[in-house]
Amino acid sequence: MSEKAIITCAVTGSIHTPSMSPHLPVTAEEIAEAAIGAAEAGAAIVHLHARDPRDGRPDQSVERFEPFLKVIKQRTDCVVNITTGGAATMTIDERLKPVAFFKPEVASLNMGSMNFGLYPMLARFSKDKLKHAWEYDYLEGSRDRIFKNTFADIEKILTTCAENGTRFEIECYDIGHLYTLAHFADRGVVKPPFFVQSVFGILGGIGPNPDDVMHMKRTADRLFGKDYHWSVLGAGRNQMPIAAMAAAMGGNVRVGLEDSLWLGKGKLAVSNAEQVKQVRKIIEGLGREVATPNEAREILKLKGADRVAF
């Protein structure tokens, strides 16, 4: 409990579509402002995806990332984490491009192939209420889509990022993903300290029950001992309950509109900063302190913002 809590904020992601919330950042300006606001509210790390500003679809091109990366770096000292997850509709080469080009301090890394069910969200939206044609196909298509992260894919990301000194937010959606991390750690392909982001409540991954949270933590403790730092995210309505559980257990937390559009029951979050402020209250209410960006860099042994390519 003595270690300060690192708050990560995932500001837009590729799960939610523009019709779901008017507050979801889409343009480069909106993504930059969302990240800066989250950092000012207490997020040490911002986890970033890009979108096509014309219709909000996920876009993993270097050209989409560049405008907001420079603004964020100019206006805040937060740690920038660029996704290699992109979207499940993309190839591994597409997903890897911005990380290989910009050489961030942190990149996300998904630890296994999985079903990633987004289609139940369509229950809230009839087809004619969606703003863009791609949204329906994207959500419904997840019924028959695999989010591909093979051993070869994972190793390609690990070795590409190792050349640039980029470390990882290691996203584990199920228990087996922890064992996959242990496999690469045993081979020396990835080095400690590991920043393990346990993901709860995605259809296709581990559930959000407190027993699931405890099982993830116990397994990671057994596999990695003192060589890792544990963080959690809860999807949708599970966001704050999961964060509260982890914070009480001495863990770190992730919030943001990528993971949940909500601030409370029936209440959309108007910004990423709003969620950061809420989880910060939980952490500080437990008598813990929130880590600054530089403290997060020290805890996670990051290379520093002066060694990125943006």
Side-chain angles (χ1 to χ4, degrees):
M1 290 290 285
S2 61
E3 189 171 272
K4 294 186 177 181
I6 299 169
I7 299 175
T8 297
C9 185
V11 302
T12 190
S14 62
I15 293 174
H16 299 113
T17 68
S19 296
M20 296 179 181
S21 172
H23 310 299
L24 185 70
V26 169
T27 68
E29 182 180 3
E30 289 168 348
I31 292 169
E33 291 299 324
I36 293 161
E40 290 173 345
I45 302 173
V46 291
H47 169 115
L48 301 175
H49 288 240
R51 292 177 180 264
D52 187 324
R54 294 168 295 185
D55 60 9
R57 75 178 67 213
D59 189 327
Q60 199 72 356
S61 65
V62 167
E63 293 75 19
R64 296 297 185 207
F65 277 84
E66 189 168 25
F68 60 75
L69 289 177
K70 291 182 176 180
V71 173
I72 293 166
K73 187 178 180 182
Q74 288 168 356
R75 292 178 51 190
T76 176
D77 67 344
C78 67
V79 176
V80 168
N81 171 351
I82 297 177
T83 180
T84 66
T89 53
M90 299 173 181
T91 68
I92 192 66
D93 289 331
E94 289 172 324
R95 289 160 48 189
L96 188 52
K97 276 182 182 178
V99 166
F101 187 87
F102 292 112
K103 305 175 176 59
E105 293 183 80
V106 179
S108 69
L109 174 59
N110 298 276
M111 269 293 144
S113 301
M114 60 182 292
N115 296 329
F116 204 113
L118 306 179
Y119 64 90
M121 291 190 284
L122 282 170
R124 301 201 315 270
F125 299 93
S126 62
K127 202 169 184 180
D128 61 344
K129 289 185 179 179
L130 296 173
K131 296 178 182 177
H132 308 288
W134 73 269
E135 296 179 82
Y136 181 85
D137 294 338
Y138 181 74
L139 297 169
E140 177 59 28
S142 70
R143 193 187 299 269
D144 193 35
R145 182 186 302 135
I146 297 292
F147 184 28
K148 177 177 169 289
N149 295 284
T150 65
F151 289 106
D153 294 337
I154 294 167
E155 189 159 354
K156 184 171 188 176
I157 293 170
L158 286 169
T159 53
T160 298
C161 291
E163 298 170 3
N164 301 323
T166 297
R167 296 187 66 83
F168 303 96
E169 175 197 19
I170 300 170
E171 298 191 359
C172 296
Y173 293 77
D174 222 328
I175 297 298
H177 294 180
L178 294 173
Y179 284 91
T180 298
L181 171 58
H183 162 75
F184 285 107
D186 289 345
R187 290 175 48 200
V189 182
V190 61
K191 307 289 186 183
F194 311 121
F195 187 40
V196 175
Q197 188 73 260
S198 298
V199 184
F200 300 94
I202 292 290
L203 181 60
I206 197 168
N209 189 280
D211 286 343
D212 297 320
V213 179
M214 293 297 297
H215 186 34
M216 270 276 202
K217 180 68 162 58
R218 282 193 302 265
T219 305
D221 284 347
R222 175 165 47 80
L223 291 174
F224 309 118
K226 295 182 178 179
D227 283 342
Y228 88 109
H229 300 280
W230 184 53
S231 184
V232 303
L233 73 89
R237 64 185 177 185
N238 304 302
Q239 184 180 76
M240 293 300 163
I242 295 287
M245 277 187 271
M249 295 163 64
N252 306 288
V253 301
R254 179 174 128 175
V255 294
L257 297 186
E258 170 172 352
D259 305 327
S260 176
L261 297 174
W262 307 94
L263 192 66
K265 186 175 181 179
K267 182 180 180 183
L268 288 172
V270 300
S271 69
N272 283 273
E274 201 172 33
Q275 291 182 346
V276 173
K277 290 174 184 176
Q278 187 174 49
V279 82
R280 183 171 188 164
K281 287 180 182 178
I282 293 170
I283 292 166
E284 293 176 340
L286 291 166
R288 299 185 63 196
E289 294 182 65
V290 171
T292 67
N294 285 334
E295 287 169 339
R297 289 183 173 98
E298 177 60 28
I299 292 167
L300 301 177
K301 308 303 180 191
L302 304 182
K303 65 181 179 178
D306 58 331
R307 294 180 58 199
V308 302
F310 58 90

